[in-house]
């Protein structure tokens, strides 16, 4: 079925900052090959609190699903609580992605905000999580911070929806079965699992060539996800996943990319073979705004920019010739990296 483009995006992503206080090994931004770590783009944005509020004012004139607040680590943004309160005051649903290590000083104010979901990135038990995050004590920090937030919620009689996001990678897949116990220890009742992105240099080069030849764009993001293989032993993963499901006992299992086991097998064993949806509903439904104001369709591969919110409104950019040129190309075929990208599921519409 042909997806019809909306007159205004249904999903808005605010990438408030590319800065982060952790160095996750599988991260496309801050891993050894990450495009922020290697200074391909700046980790300090130019949009200030008043700029983001101006965008919220425009968005409030339209019916949207939610605003996604992300980074980097969004709680590094100066004015984060003021912004969350401002969005909340407009009656817009908030979805916040965070590593959870910095929320202790904001817990009291966060607990007063309604109509919000917070996703905490947790990559295993204490040993595995700290190894993935490359910062000792990060697991204990997030656990204590969630406990504090829960206490503040009880104080203010306001329950915030929460979930854990577990990124399945070669660094932690052997502890997947422990995640229900981890969730229970943190007082969280939902786990979101997502396989990490990876592809070969050949795939990255093909993506780079596509953008250069068709749009005169120099691609940079692919280098952060360049791995020769997944590093995941599928037989071990299959056992871990089975044990994980068996131990849920009331914990909600929410696979962000709803794969069957044979699709997981392809994903982890062959990065060049398509898995799941080939269509990208983002081009019809989502806009991501980067810390410097540049806009794109893909939060994880933000190479193609079609303008900047400092000089144009969101609606003008959404209907621009540059946006439509990319839509036309992407409707016809996936780009090379799209086979190992999960960002397109953000705006997937279920019939």
């Amino acid at each position: 079925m042909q997806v019809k483009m909306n007159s205004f995006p249904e999903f808005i992503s605010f990438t408030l900052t590319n800065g982060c206080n952790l160095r996750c090994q599988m991260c496309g931004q801050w891993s050894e090959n990450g495009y922020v770590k290697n200074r391909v783009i700046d980790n300090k944005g130019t949009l200030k609190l008043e700029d983001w509020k101006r965008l919220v004012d425009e968005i409030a004139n339209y019916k949207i699903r939610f605003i996604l607040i992300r980074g980097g680590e969004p709680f590094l943004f100066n004015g984060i609580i003021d912004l969350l309160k401002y969005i909340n005051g407009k009656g817009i649903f908030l979805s916040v992605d965070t590593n959870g290590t910095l929320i202790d000083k904001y817990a009291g104010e966060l607990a007063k905000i309604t109509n919000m979901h917070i996703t905490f990135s947790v990559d295993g038990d204490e040993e595995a999580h700290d190894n993935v995050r490359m910062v000792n004590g990060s697991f204990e920090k997030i656990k204590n911070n969630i406990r504090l937030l829960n206490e503040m919620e009880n104080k203010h009689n306001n329950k915030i929806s929460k979930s854990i996001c577990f990124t399945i990678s070669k660094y932690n897949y052997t502890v997947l079965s422990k995640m229900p116990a981890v969730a229970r220890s943190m007082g969280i009742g939902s786990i979101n699992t997502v396989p990490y992105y990876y592809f070969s240099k050949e795939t990255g080069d093909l993506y780079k060539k596509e953008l250069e030849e068709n749009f005169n764009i120099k691609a940079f993001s692919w280098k952060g996800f360049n791995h020769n293989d997944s590093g995941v032993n599928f037989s071990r993963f299959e056992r871990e996943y089975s044990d994980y499901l068996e131990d849920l006992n009331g914990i909600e299992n929410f696979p962000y990319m709803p794969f069957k086991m044979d699709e997981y097998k392809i994903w982890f064993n062959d990065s060049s073979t398509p898995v799941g949806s080939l269509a990208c509903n983002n081009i019809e439904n989502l806009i991501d705004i980067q810390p410097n104001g540049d806009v794109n369709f893909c939060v994880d591969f933000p190479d193609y920019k079609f303008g900047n919110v400092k000089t144009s409104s969101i609606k003008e950019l959404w209907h621009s010739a540059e946006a439509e040129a990319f839509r036309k190309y992407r409707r016809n075929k996936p780009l090379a990296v799209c086979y190992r990208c999960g960002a397109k599921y953000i705006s997937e519409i279920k019939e």
Side-chain angles (χ1 to χ4, degrees), residues 102-295:
L102 303 175
I103 67 168
D104 46 331
K105 62 181 178 179
Y106 303 114
E109 293 301 313
L110 278 174
K112 299 176 185 178
I113 300 174
T114 59
N115 207 26
M116 175 172 65
H117 178 87
I118 302 179
T119 301
F120 295 94
S121 297
V122 182
D123 291 309
D125 59 8
E126 182 170 8
E127 180 180 1
H129 179 87
D130 286 2
N131 177 60
V132 169
R133 301 276 151 170
M134 300 289 285
V135 175
N136 290 333
S138 58
F139 180 89
E140 190 66 20
K141 184 68 173 174
I142 185 176
K143 187 175 180 179
N144 290 337
N145 285 354
I146 292 173
R147 182 185 300 115
L148 175 61
L149 181 58
N150 288 338
E151 291 172 359
M152 292 295 102
E153 290 171 38
N154 290 333
K155 178 180 178 180
H156 295 288
N157 195 29
N158 175 41
K159 189 65 178 174
I160 297 173
S161 173
K162 304 183 195 71
S163 63
I164 281 173
C165 179
F166 178 87
T167 301
I168 307 165
S169 73
K170 63 183 178 181
Y171 307 105
N172 67 351
Y173 76 99
T174 58
V175 299
L176 174 58
S177 61
K178 298 181 179 181
M179 289 311 296
V182 169
R184 279 188 281 270
S185 74
M186 293 183 171
I188 292 182
S190 180
I191 302 173
N192 171 8
T193 56
V194 56
Y196 87 133
Y197 311 162
Y198 74 99
F199 42 73
S200 66
K201 184 177 183 300
E202 289 73 21
T203 298
D205 286 340
L206 179 58
Y207 171 64
K208 180 180 176 183
K209 182 179 179 182
E210 285 180 293
L211 289 191
E212 286 181 349
E213 292 184 351
N214 291 283
F215 304 106
N216 195 30
I217 295 287
K218 291 188 179 299
F220 58 84
S221 63
W222 67 273
K223 292 183 179 180
F225 303 98
N226 175 212
H227 306 280
N228 291 327
D229 56 61
S230 71
V232 173
N233 180 292
F234 180 74
S235 295
R236 174 65 185 272
F237 165 76
E238 193 172 22
R239 294 195 303 272
E240 287 288 326
Y241 195 74
S242 176
D243 291 344
Y244 160 78
L245 294 177
E246 188 173 332
D247 191 40
L248 286 170
N249 293 327
I251 300 291
E252 179 190 23
N253 176 45
F254 180 73
Y256 172 71
M257 296 153 73
F259 290 164
K260 298 176 181 177
M261 194 53 64
D262 59 340
E263 292 175 311
Y264 276 119
K265 185 173 184 178
I266 297 171
W267 183 280
F268 289 127
N269 289 340
D270 179 9
S271 67
S272 62
T273 299
V275 182
S277 174
L278 291 184
C280 181
N281 288 310
N282 285 9
I283 59 174
E284 325 292 347
N285 298 300
L286 178 144
I287 197 167
D288 172 58
I289 303 168
Q290 288 287 302
N292 66 353
D294 286 341
V295 297

Side-chain angles (χ1 to χ4, degrees), residues 77-113:
F77 176 72
N78 185 24
I80 178 67
I81 293 298
D82 286 343
L83 180 59
L84 295 181
K85 287 180 176 179
Y86 194 77
I87 296 170
N88 185 241
K90 297 288 185 179
I92 300 172
F93 188 82
L94 277 161
S95 181
V96 182
D97 289 351
T98 177
N99 64 40
T101 60
L102 303 175
I103 67 168
D104 46 331
K105 62 181 178 179
Y106 303 114
E109 293 301 313
L110 278 174
K112 299 176 185 178
I113 300 174

